Amino acid sequence: MQDPATYTEAFEREHGCTVEEWRMWLPGAVGEAPLAFDAPHSARVRIGNGSLQLRWQALPPRQIALIRMPRLHVSYRFSDVLAGERERFMRHFDLFMQRGGG
């Protein structure tokens, strides 16, 4: 999970999932916020009077010994979303997207 102090207007992350998993998880991750898929690799989320533009791209899998893990590069771009709104949104988003870890 990312440090809330770094929920800036624009940042990038790497997620350990496939494009199909990402698209399946995204509606739950955004909660009640309206979600629209703009294209196969982008979506827009309405947050208050602003929005979040998400764009993603599959990366080559990470391989550790015999294990291969999918990777997805995702860019986050908030527009007209106040810092407090960004933090509230991203806390829910991060908790929903968190996988494994025991």
Side-chain angles (χ1 to χ4, degrees):
M1 188 163 11
Q2 189 163 335
D3 177 359
T6 63
Y7 294 141
T8 58
E9 290 182 358
F11 57 92
E12 298 180 354
R13 290 183 174 172
E14 187 177 298
H15 291 271
C17 62
T18 66
V19 170
E20 293 78 19
E21 290 169 329
W22 174 259
R23 287 181 60 96
M24 185 173 59
W25 298 338
L26 209 47
V30 302
E32 298 294 319
L35 169 67
F37 288 96
D38 299 339
H41 296 281
S42 71
R44 183 172 301 276
V45 183
R46 291 294 287 158
I47 303 170
N49 293 325
S51 64
L52 166 62
Q53 179 71 47
L54 296 164
R55 296 186 196 281
W56 56 88
Q57 174 183 343
L59 298 172
R62 175 165 283 131
Q63 184 160 352
I64 302 171
L66 297 176
I67 298 172
R68 292 173 53 96
M69 296 180 292
R71 294 187 309 147
L72 196 65
H73 178 266
V74 180
S75 69
Y76 296 73
R77 301 287 181 264
F78 287 93
S79 178
D80 299 321
V81 180
L82 299 174
E85 290 177 298
R86 281 195 310 266
E87 184 175 341
R88 274 189 300 280
F89 176 84
M90 288 305 300
R91 282 181 186 263
H92 177 278
F93 189 95
D94 284 344
L95 283 172
F96 189 91
M97 288 293 196
Q98 189 173 2
R99 300 288 184 249

